[in-house]
Amino acid sequence: MISVNERAYKLIHKIEKDSEALGLALATLPNGSKVVDAGINVQGSLFAGKYYAEICMGGLGKVSFTSESYGDFWLPGVTVVTEQPVLACMAAQYAGWRIDLGDFFAMASGPARALALVEDLFTRLEYRDHSSVAVIALEGRRFPTVEVAEWIARKCRVAANNLWLVVSPTASLVGSVQISARVVETGMHKLMELGFDLKKVVSGFGTAPLAPVAADDLLAIGRTNDCVLYGGKVYYTVQAADREIEKVIEKLPSVASRDYGTPFYQVFQRYSGDFYKIDPLLFSPAEVVINNLSTGRVFRAGQVNREVLKLSLLGGGN
């Protein structure tokens, strides 16, 4: 049995040894839980974002840096590869755990979710981790308190001193990297919502541009989402019947959404900041390619939207 927490813990050791060079800060709470500051009171770094994303994927994905050309402009970008897309993307990376305790709020992703099992998703995945250590990634701008750490540790059924919490705000170098590195996961989630059997996905490969760090977290939510929705490209290999792919391929890219075509920050404002009013079909990569290993056929839908990317990331579209 693959343990996403044990694999992520190995990556934690790497950043622990190299925290100063990575622009990170480490702290230990009175109960023994460890907190990694990845952008609140420190600068963070692009390489710290790479590690953050790989930790989120439970050590089952690799993130590297590239550049993306869009004709008259270019942006740095990330490439993500996983040979265990269900475990890496859905059992670990997916930000499916909403932690709201008192005045503390954060969206939680990472392998600790596979210990807590508070999401219905894990019944569908038929996976649970068995580990004495838990690693959780929190997207937010507040440090978790002892009370928050204790609560998470209880949910994960681990001792508090075996809990690692990695925290990063959206408007940070780490935030930009880790959100763009969700490009494969975003497509996997869309496949699941469309009824495709995720167990038939063999591998995932994706690229997305990196958002310039915004002035605040709300603006950063807009920019980072646009990197995936309008610049994200994914390539999946699957073992399935062609008709199963034909049924979903045109609905997979973000262009299938009624809310497609304007920077995400504007869409967010249109619905008064209510994510749940946004068309769920929007949350997917811009372009999707699927190679069916069973038949050799290749399916493709969607395309990168250079105009919206330029407006959002370089032209004040936020």
Side-chain angles (χ1 to χ4, degrees):
M1 175 69 73
I2 295 174
S3 171
V4 288
N5 281 279
E6 295 292 341
R7 294 180 67 92
Y9 188 48
K10 293 178 181 178
L11 293 172
I12 286 287
H13 279 307
K14 290 185 179 181
I15 65 173
E16 185 180 18
K17 294 177 181 178
D18 210 20
S19 59
E20 185 176 1
L22 291 169
L24 304 173
L26 307 179
T28 301
L29 298 177
N31 66 349
S33 298
K34 290 85 172 176
V35 180
V36 181
D37 179 358
I40 298 177
N41 291 324
V42 294
Q43 191 71 58
S45 64
L46 296 177
F47 277 115
K50 161 189 162 67
Y51 279 118
Y52 187 109
E54 291 178 348
I55 286 168
C56 281
M57 298 178 79
L60 291 171
K62 293 294 183 182
V63 178
S64 57
F65 294 99
T66 184
S67 63
E68 296 286 338
S69 178
Y70 302 102
D72 62 339
F73 70 101
W74 71 275
L75 291 165
V78 294
T79 297
V80 184
V81 182
T82 177
E83 301 295 340
Q84 292 283 342
V86 176
L87 295 186
C89 297
M90 303 310 299
Q93 190 181 23
Y94 177 58
W97 190 4
R98 179 187 175 100
I99 296 179
D100 194 353
L101 294 172
D103 58 358
F104 179 85
F105 172 80
M107 290 305 299
S109 58
R113 296 173 43 249
L115 293 171
L117 304 175
V118 298
E119 304 158 53
D120 294 338
L121 171 63
F122 285 95
T123 301
R124 301 171 68 174
L125 297 180
E126 298 179 349
Y127 173 80
R128 67 176 300 167
D129 198 2
H130 299 277
S131 171
S132 61
V133 63
V135 182
I136 192 166
L138 303 172
E139 186 177 341
R141 195 165 283 277
R142 301 195 63 174
F143 285 108
T145 62
V146 171
E147 292 73 22
V148 171
E150 291 280 357
W151 185 84
I152 294 173
R154 286 196 300 272
K155 289 289 185 181
C156 294
R157 303 170 187 86
V158 299
N161 61 356
N162 281 338
L163 173 65
W164 283 83
L165 308 102
V166 189
V167 189
S168 173
T170 311
S172 68
L173 288 169
V174 171
S176 288
V177 175
Q178 70 94 1
I179 293 175
S180 287
R182 294 177 183 273
V183 61
V184 175
E185 172 255 298
T186 305
M188 288 288 289
H189 184 259
K190 183 71 165 290
L191 277 168
M192 182 183 70
E193 291 301 305
L194 292 173
F196 190 85
D197 184 357
L198 294 188
K199 294 177 183 177
K200 297 183 178 183
V201 184
V202 177
S203 66
F205 177 101
T207 65
L210 289 182
V213 178
D216 60 58
D217 290 324
L218 191 57
L219 292 174
I221 288 172
R223 286 184 179 179
T224 54
N225 271 279
D226 287 336
C227 285
V228 174
L229 307 184
Y230 297 106
K233 297 176 287 186
V234 293
Y235 181 99
Y236 298 111
T237 56
V238 307
Q239 288 271 12
D242 285 338
R243 65 179 180 277
E244 295 176 271
I245 304 170
E246 291 168 345
K247 184 178 178 181
V248 301
I249 187 65
E250 294 298 331
K251 298 177 183 177
L252 268 175
S254 55
V255 71
S257 168
R258 66 173 185 270
D259 287 325
Y260 177 90
T262 56
F264 185 80
Y265 182 74
Q266 296 178 15
V267 176
F268 195 56
Q269 288 183 315
R270 183 187 310 156
Y271 294 109
S272 303
D274 189 343
F275 268 102
Y276 297 101
K277 291 182 179 178
I278 300 172
D279 180 11
L281 290 178
L282 182 65
F283 297 101
S284 47
E287 184 174 346
V288 181
V289 178
I290 298 178
N291 175 207
N292 188 0
L293 301 181
S294 298
T295 65
R297 286 190 61 187
V298 177
F299 301 81
R300 177 186 172 277
Q303 62 182 3
V304 169
N305 190 321
R306 296 172 176 82
E307 290 73 24
V308 175
L309 279 178
K310 188 174 185 179
L311 179 62
S312 171
L313 306 182
L314 300 176
N318 288 341

mmCIF file of all heavy atoms in Angstrom, residues 23-64:
data_model
loop_
_atom_site.group_PDB
_atom_site.id
_atom_site.type_symbol
_atom_site.label_atom_id
_atom_site.label_comp_id
_atom_site.label_asym_id
_atom_site.label_seq_id
_atom_site.Cartn_x
_atom_site.Cartn_y
_atom_site.Cartn_z
ATOM 1 N N GLY A 23 13.932 30.048 1.648
ATOM 2 C CA GLY A 23 13.125 31.182 2.072
ATOM 3 C C GLY A 23 11.972 30.801 2.959
ATOM 4 O O GLY A 23 10.934 31.479 2.984
ATOM 5 N N LEU A 24 12.126 29.723 3.732
ATOM 6 C CA LEU A 24 11.082 29.226 4.612
ATOM 7 C C LEU A 24 11.470 29.434 6.067
ATOM 8 O O LEU A 24 12.635 29.649 6.393
ATOM 9 C CB LEU A 24 10.845 27.729 4.363
ATOM 10 C CG LEU A 24 10.497 27.324 2.930
ATOM 11 C CD1 LEU A 24 10.466 25.811 2.796
ATOM 12 C CD2 LEU A 24 9.156 27.922 2.516
ATOM 13 N N ALA A 25 10.490 29.357 6.942
ATOM 14 C CA ALA A 25 10.739 29.436 8.383
ATOM 15 C C ALA A 25 10.005 28.301 9.068
ATOM 16 O O ALA A 25 8.858 27.983 8.712
ATOM 17 C CB ALA A 25 10.280 30.781 8.937
ATOM 18 N N LEU A 26 10.650 27.672 10.044
ATOM 19 C CA LEU A 26 10.076 26.542 10.768
ATOM 20 C C LEU A 26 9.774 26.932 12.195
ATOM 21 O O LEU A 26 10.507 27.715 12.812
ATOM 22 C CB LEU A 26 11.038 25.352 10.753
ATOM 23 C CG LEU A 26 11.564 24.900 9.386
ATOM 24 C CD1 LEU A 26 12.519 23.725 9.551
ATOM 25 C CD2 LEU A 26 10.417 24.516 8.467
ATOM 26 N N ALA A 27 8.693 26.401 12.726
ATOM 27 C CA ALA A 27 8.321 26.665 14.110
ATOM 28 C C ALA A 27 7.684 25.409 14.690
ATOM 29 O O ALA A 27 7.095 24.604 13.966
ATOM 30 C CB ALA A 27 7.353 27.838 14.204
ATOM 31 N N THR A 28 7.804 25.260 16.000
ATOM 32 C CA THR A 28 7.174 24.146 16.700
ATOM 33 C C THR A 28 6.171 24.697 17.701
ATOM 34 O O THR A 28 6.510 25.550 18.537
ATOM 35 C CB THR A 28 8.211 23.281 17.431
ATOM 36 O OG1 THR A 28 9.162 22.778 16.487
ATOM 37 C CG2 THR A 28 7.546 22.102 18.120
ATOM 38 N N LEU A 29 4.931 24.261 17.609
ATOM 39 C CA LEU A 29 3.897 24.686 18.538
ATOM 40 C C LEU A 29 4.107 24.021 19.892
ATOM 41 O O LEU A 29 4.808 22.999 19.993
ATOM 42 C CB LEU A 29 2.516 24.343 17.987
ATOM 43 C CG LEU A 29 2.128 25.007 16.659
ATOM 44 C CD1 LEU A 29 0.764 24.512 16.187
ATOM 45 C CD2 LEU A 29 2.117 26.518 16.794
ATOM 46 N N PRO A 30 3.528 24.555 20.968
ATOM 47 C CA PRO A 30 3.704 23.972 22.297
ATOM 48 C C PRO A 30 3.327 22.499 22.398
ATOM 49 O O PRO A 30 3.841 21.780 23.258
ATOM 50 C CB PRO A 30 2.791 24.838 23.177
ATOM 51 C CG PRO A 30 2.776 26.165 22.492
ATOM 52 C CD PRO A 30 2.796 25.843 21.038
ATOM 53 N N ASN A 31 2.435 22.028 21.527
ATOM 54 C CA ASN A 31 2.036 20.608 21.563
ATOM 55 C C ASN A 31 2.939 19.718 20.717
ATOM 56 O O ASN A 31 2.697 18.512 20.598
ATOM 57 C CB ASN A 31 0.586 20.448 21.110
ATOM 58 C CG ASN A 31 0.387 20.814 19.650
ATOM 59 O OD1 ASN A 31 1.275 21.373 19.010
ATOM 60 N ND2 ASN A 31 -0.773 20.492 19.102
ATOM 61 N N GLY A 32 3.964 20.310 20.097
ATOM 62 C CA GLY A 32 4.896 19.532 19.306
ATOM 63 C C GLY A 32 4.625 19.521 17.821
ATOM 64 O O GLY A 32 5.456 19.052 17.031
ATOM 65 N N SER A 33 3.480 20.032 17.380
ATOM 66 C CA SER A 33 3.195 20.103 15.946
ATOM 67 C C SER A 33 4.151 21.094 15.280
ATOM 68 O O SER A 33 4.508 22.119 15.870
ATOM 69 C CB SER A 33 1.754 20.550 15.704
ATOM 70 O OG SER A 33 0.832 19.634 16.241
ATOM 71 N N LYS A 34 4.565 20.779 14.062
ATOM 72 C CA LYS A 34 5.523 21.621 13.347
ATOM 73 C C LYS A 34 4.827 22.419 12.263
ATOM 74 O O LYS A 34 3.991 21.884 11.529
ATOM 75 C CB LYS A 34 6.638 20.784 12.721
ATOM 76 C CG LYS A 34 7.613 20.175 13.712
ATOM 77 C CD LYS A 34 7.088 18.873 14.250
ATOM 78 C CE LYS A 34 8.131 18.153 15.098
ATOM 79 N NZ LYS A 34 7.569 16.912 15.718
ATOM 80 N N VAL A 35 5.187 23.689 12.169
ATOM 81 C CA VAL A 35 4.599 24.585 11.181
ATOM 82 C C VAL A 35 5.695 25.093 10.254
ATOM 83 O O VAL A 35 6.746 25.539 10.704
ATOM 84 C CB VAL A 35 3.891 25.775 11.850
ATOM 85 C CG1 VAL A 35 3.285 26.696 10.791
ATOM 86 C CG2 VAL A 35 2.817 25.296 12.811
ATOM 87 N N VAL A 36 5.443 25.008 8.965
ATOM 88 C CA VAL A 36 6.349 25.561 7.956
ATOM 89 C C VAL A 36 5.707 26.804 7.374
ATOM 90 O O VAL A 36 4.643 26.730 6.748
ATOM 91 C CB VAL A 36 6.641 24.544 6.842
ATOM 92 C CG1 VAL A 36 7.603 25.154 5.818
ATOM 93 C CG2 VAL A 36 7.216 23.252 7.416
ATOM 94 N N ASP A 37 6.322 27.965 7.594
ATOM 95 C CA ASP A 37 5.851 29.214 7.007
ATOM 96 C C ASP A 37 6.414 29.304 5.594
ATOM 97 O O ASP A 37 7.631 29.426 5.397
ATOM 98 C CB ASP A 37 6.336 30.394 7.855
ATOM 99 C CG ASP A 37 5.895 31.744 7.293
ATOM 100 O OD1 ASP A 37 5.248 31.774 6.223
ATOM 101 O OD2 ASP A 37 6.211 32.776 7.916
ATOM 102 N N ALA A 38 5.520 29.259 4.605
ATOM 103 C CA ALA A 38 5.943 29.282 3.206
ATOM 104 C C ALA A 38 5.492 30.552 2.501
ATOM 105 O O ALA A 38 5.195 30.528 1.296
ATOM 106 C CB ALA A 38 5.408 28.053 2.481
ATOM 107 N N GLY A 39 5.416 31.663 3.257
ATOM 108 C CA GLY A 39 5.089 32.906 2.584
ATOM 109 C C GLY A 39 4.347 33.948 3.393
ATOM 110 O O GLY A 39 3.981 34.991 2.861
ATOM 111 N N ILE A 40 4.095 33.691 4.673
ATOM 112 C CA ILE A 40 3.373 34.675 5.487
ATOM 113 C C ILE A 40 4.325 35.738 6.020
ATOM 114 O O ILE A 40 4.176 36.929 5.732
ATOM 115 C CB ILE A 40 2.621 33.978 6.645
ATOM 116 C CG1 ILE A 40 1.573 33.022 6.081
ATOM 117 C CG2 ILE A 40 1.952 35.023 7.556
ATOM 118 C CD1 ILE A 40 0.818 32.237 7.130
ATOM 119 N N ASN A 41 5.310 35.320 6.780
ATOM 120 C CA ASN A 41 6.308 36.252 7.324
ATOM 121 C C ASN A 41 7.665 36.102 6.652
ATOM 122 O O ASN A 41 8.641 36.709 7.097
ATOM 123 C CB ASN A 41 6.469 36.047 8.832
ATOM 124 C CG ASN A 41 5.231 36.478 9.595
ATOM 125 O OD1 ASN A 41 4.568 37.456 9.240
ATOM 126 N ND2 ASN A 41 4.893 35.737 10.642
ATOM 127 N N VAL A 42 7.723 35.290 5.621
ATOM 128 C CA VAL A 42 8.964 35.082 4.870
ATOM 129 C C VAL A 42 8.667 35.247 3.384
ATOM 130 O O VAL A 42 7.506 35.267 2.967
ATOM 131 C CB VAL A 42 9.550 33.678 5.145
ATOM 132 C CG1 VAL A 42 10.006 33.552 6.594
ATOM 133 C CG2 VAL A 42 8.539 32.592 4.801
ATOM 134 N N GLN A 43 9.742 35.334 2.593
ATOM 135 C CA GLN A 43 9.586 35.550 1.153
ATOM 136 C C GLN A 43 9.148 34.295 0.423
ATOM 137 O O GLN A 43 8.413 34.358 -0.561
ATOM 138 C CB GLN A 43 10.912 36.040 0.562
ATOM 139 C CG GLN A 43 10.810 36.537 -0.857
ATOM 140 C CD GLN A 43 10.073 37.861 -0.956
ATOM 141 O OE1 GLN A 43 10.469 38.840 -0.341
ATOM 142 N NE2 GLN A 43 8.996 37.895 -1.714
ATOM 143 N N GLY A 44 9.606 33.144 0.919
ATOM 144 C CA GLY A 44 9.379 31.930 0.153
ATOM 145 C C GLY A 44 10.255 31.945 -1.097
ATOM 146 O O GLY A 44 11.171 32.763 -1.228
ATOM 147 N N SER A 45 9.993 31.071 -2.038
ATOM 148 C CA SER A 45 10.785 31.008 -3.268
ATOM 149 C C SER A 45 10.080 30.110 -4.270
ATOM 150 O O SER A 45 9.147 29.377 -3.922
ATOM 151 C CB SER A 45 12.181 30.447 -2.975
ATOM 152 O OG SER A 45 12.089 29.104 -2.509
ATOM 153 N N LEU A 46 10.532 30.155 -5.500
ATOM 154 C CA LEU A 46 9.980 29.276 -6.516
ATOM 155 C C LEU A 46 10.258 27.813 -6.178
ATOM 156 O O LEU A 46 9.384 26.954 -6.330
ATOM 157 C CB LEU A 46 10.560 29.619 -7.888
ATOM 158 C CG LEU A 46 10.226 31.007 -8.443
ATOM 159 C CD1 LEU A 46 10.928 31.228 -9.781
ATOM 160 C CD2 LEU A 46 8.721 31.195 -8.606
ATOM 161 N N PHE A 47 11.479 27.540 -5.721
ATOM 162 C CA PHE A 47 11.804 26.159 -5.360
ATOM 163 C C PHE A 47 10.999 25.691 -4.153
ATOM 164 O O PHE A 47 10.630 24.518 -4.062
ATOM 165 C CB PHE A 47 13.300 26.003 -5.100
ATOM 166 C CG PHE A 47 14.098 25.804 -6.354
ATOM 167 C CD1 PHE A 47 15.037 26.751 -6.759
ATOM 168 C CD2 PHE A 47 13.921 24.685 -7.145
ATOM 169 C CE1 PHE A 47 15.766 26.577 -7.919
ATOM 170 C CE2 PHE A 47 14.645 24.495 -8.312
ATOM 171 C CZ PHE A 47 15.579 25.450 -8.713
ATOM 172 N N ALA A 48 10.707 26.594 -3.225
ATOM 173 C CA ALA A 48 9.836 26.224 -2.111
ATOM 174 C C ALA A 48 8.446 25.865 -2.628
ATOM 175 O O ALA A 48 7.794 24.940 -2.124
ATOM 176 C CB ALA A 48 9.748 27.370 -1.105
ATOM 177 N N GLY A 49 7.976 26.582 -3.659
ATOM 178 C CA GLY A 49 6.691 26.262 -4.267
ATOM 179 C C GLY A 49 6.691 24.897 -4.913
ATOM 180 O O GLY A 49 5.700 24.158 -4.847
ATOM 181 N N LYS A 50 7.807 24.533 -5.539
ATOM 182 C CA LYS A 50 7.946 23.193 -6.136
ATOM 183 C C LYS A 50 7.791 22.127 -5.058
ATOM 184 O O LYS A 50 7.032 21.160 -5.232
ATOM 185 C CB LYS A 50 9.308 23.086 -6.809
ATOM 186 C CG LYS A 50 9.774 21.661 -7.071
ATOM 187 C CD LYS A 50 11.225 21.650 -7.533
ATOM 188 C CE LYS A 50 11.852 20.270 -7.379
ATOM 189 N NZ LYS A 50 11.265 19.281 -8.281
ATOM 190 N N TYR A 51 8.500 22.294 -3.937
ATOM 191 C CA TYR A 51 8.404 21.317 -2.860
ATOM 192 C C TYR A 51 6.999 21.285 -2.260
ATOM 193 O O TYR A 51 6.471 20.220 -1.933
ATOM 194 C CB TYR A 51 9.436 21.616 -1.772
ATOM 195 C CG TYR A 51 10.822 21.126 -2.086
ATOM 196 C CD1 TYR A 51 11.886 22.009 -2.207
ATOM 197 C CD2 TYR A 51 11.080 19.768 -2.274
ATOM 198 C CE1 TYR A 51 13.163 21.566 -2.500
ATOM 199 C CE2 TYR A 51 12.358 19.312 -2.566
ATOM 200 C CZ TYR A 51 13.404 20.218 -2.682
ATOM 201 O OH TYR A 51 14.661 19.767 -2.973
ATOM 202 N N TYR A 52 6.406 22.460 -2.085
ATOM 203 C CA TYR A 52 5.050 22.534 -1.549
ATOM 204 C C TYR A 52 4.092 21.716 -2.428
ATOM 205 O O TYR A 52 3.281 20.927 -1.924
ATOM 206 C CB TYR A 52 4.604 23.999 -1.501
ATOM 207 C CG TYR A 52 3.288 24.278 -0.811
ATOM 208 C CD1 TYR A 52 3.257 24.921 0.421
ATOM 209 C CD2 TYR A 52 2.069 23.948 -1.400
ATOM 210 C CE1 TYR A 52 2.054 25.205 1.047
ATOM 211 C CE2 TYR A 52 0.864 24.235 -0.782
ATOM 212 C CZ TYR A 52 0.863 24.873 0.438
ATOM 213 O OH TYR A 52 -0.329 25.157 1.061
ATOM 214 N N ALA A 53 4.189 21.905 -3.741
ATOM 215 C CA ALA A 53 3.306 21.189 -4.665
ATOM 216 C C ALA A 53 3.561 19.688 -4.615
ATOM 217 O O ALA A 53 2.620 18.886 -4.632
ATOM 218 C CB ALA A 53 3.502 21.715 -6.089
ATOM 219 N N GLU A 54 4.809 19.283 -4.551
ATOM 220 C CA GLU A 54 5.129 17.855 -4.504
ATOM 221 C C GLU A 54 4.696 17.232 -3.183
ATOM 222 O O GLU A 54 4.281 16.070 -3.145
ATOM 223 C CB GLU A 54 6.624 17.650 -4.748
ATOM 224 C CG GLU A 54 7.039 17.986 -6.168
ATOM 225 C CD GLU A 54 8.524 17.838 -6.437
ATOM 226 O OE1 GLU A 54 9.301 17.694 -5.463
ATOM 227 O OE2 GLU A 54 8.917 17.848 -7.614
ATOM 228 N N ILE A 55 4.771 18.006 -2.099
ATOM 229 C CA ILE A 55 4.243 17.538 -0.811
ATOM 230 C C ILE A 55 2.730 17.362 -0.910
ATOM 231 O O ILE A 55 2.175 16.368 -0.440
ATOM 232 C CB ILE A 55 4.625 18.527 0.312
ATOM 233 C CG1 ILE A 55 6.122 18.393 0.643
ATOM 234 C CG2 ILE A 55 3.775 18.308 1.558
ATOM 235 C CD1 ILE A 55 6.654 19.505 1.514
ATOM 236 N N CYS A 56 2.058 18.341 -1.534
ATOM 237 C CA CYS A 56 0.612 18.232 -1.718
ATOM 238 C C CYS A 56 0.245 16.960 -2.465
ATOM 239 O O CYS A 56 -0.797 16.355 -2.202
ATOM 240 C CB CYS A 56 0.080 19.439 -2.491
ATOM 241 S SG CYS A 56 -0.124 20.932 -1.518
ATOM 242 N N MET A 57 1.095 16.532 -3.398
ATOM 243 C CA MET A 57 0.829 15.351 -4.207
ATOM 244 C C MET A 57 1.291 14.064 -3.530
ATOM 245 O O MET A 57 1.324 13.000 -4.158
ATOM 246 C CB MET A 57 1.497 15.499 -5.580
ATOM 247 C CG MET A 57 0.974 16.671 -6.387
ATOM 248 S SD MET A 57 1.801 16.883 -7.995
ATOM 249 C CE MET A 57 0.953 15.632 -8.934
ATOM 250 N N GLY A 58 1.641 14.166 -2.263
ATOM 251 C CA GLY A 58 2.025 12.976 -1.524
ATOM 252 C C GLY A 58 3.274 12.307 -2.075
ATOM 253 O O GLY A 58 3.437 11.093 -1.961
ATOM 254 N N GLY A 59 4.181 13.106 -2.650
ATOM 255 C CA GLY A 59 5.409 12.558 -3.187
ATOM 256 C C GLY A 59 5.215 11.689 -4.406
ATOM 257 O O GLY A 59 6.127 10.952 -4.804
ATOM 258 N N LEU A 60 4.062 11.789 -5.053
ATOM 259 C CA LEU A 60 3.752 10.957 -6.219
ATOM 260 C C LEU A 60 3.692 11.768 -7.509
ATOM 261 O O LEU A 60 3.167 11.309 -8.521
ATOM 262 C CB LEU A 60 2.425 10.221 -6.009
ATOM 263 C CG LEU A 60 2.448 9.129 -4.943
ATOM 264 C CD1 LEU A 60 1.032 8.616 -4.673
ATOM 265 C CD2 LEU A 60 3.362 7.979 -5.347
ATOM 266 N N GLY A 61 4.226 12.980 -7.476
ATOM 267 C CA GLY A 61 4.282 13.815 -8.663
ATOM 268 C C GLY A 61 5.567 14.613 -8.672
ATOM 269 O O GLY A 61 6.149 14.880 -7.617
ATOM 270 N N LYS A 62 6.029 14.971 -9.842
ATOM 271 C CA LYS A 62 7.235 15.773 -9.989
ATOM 272 C C LYS A 62 6.881 17.104 -10.645
ATOM 273 O O LYS A 62 6.145 17.151 -11.636
ATOM 274 C CB LYS A 62 8.276 15.046 -10.837
ATOM 275 C CG LYS A 62 8.851 13.790 -10.186
ATOM 276 C CD LYS A 62 9.659 14.142 -8.937
ATOM 277 C CE LYS A 62 10.298 12.895 -8.338
ATOM 278 N NZ LYS A 62 11.051 13.228 -7.103
ATOM 279 N N VAL A 63 7.431 18.179 -10.090
ATOM 280 C CA VAL A 63 7.189 19.520 -10.606
ATOM 281 C C VAL A 63 8.515 20.118 -11.065
ATOM 282 O O VAL A 63 9.516 20.042 -10.343
ATOM 283 C CB VAL A 63 6.554 20.421 -9.529
ATOM 284 C CG1 VAL A 63 6.360 21.844 -10.061
ATOM 285 C CG2 VAL A 63 5.226 19.846 -9.062
ATOM 286 N N SER A 64 8.523 20.680 -12.249
ATOM 287 C CA SER A 64 9.718 21.355 -12.758
ATOM 288 C C SER A 64 9.301 22.674 -13.405
ATOM 289 O O SER A 64 8.112 22.925 -13.622
ATOM 290 C CB SER A 64 10.460 20.473 -13.772
ATOM 291 O OG SER A 64 9.617 20.118 -14.845
#
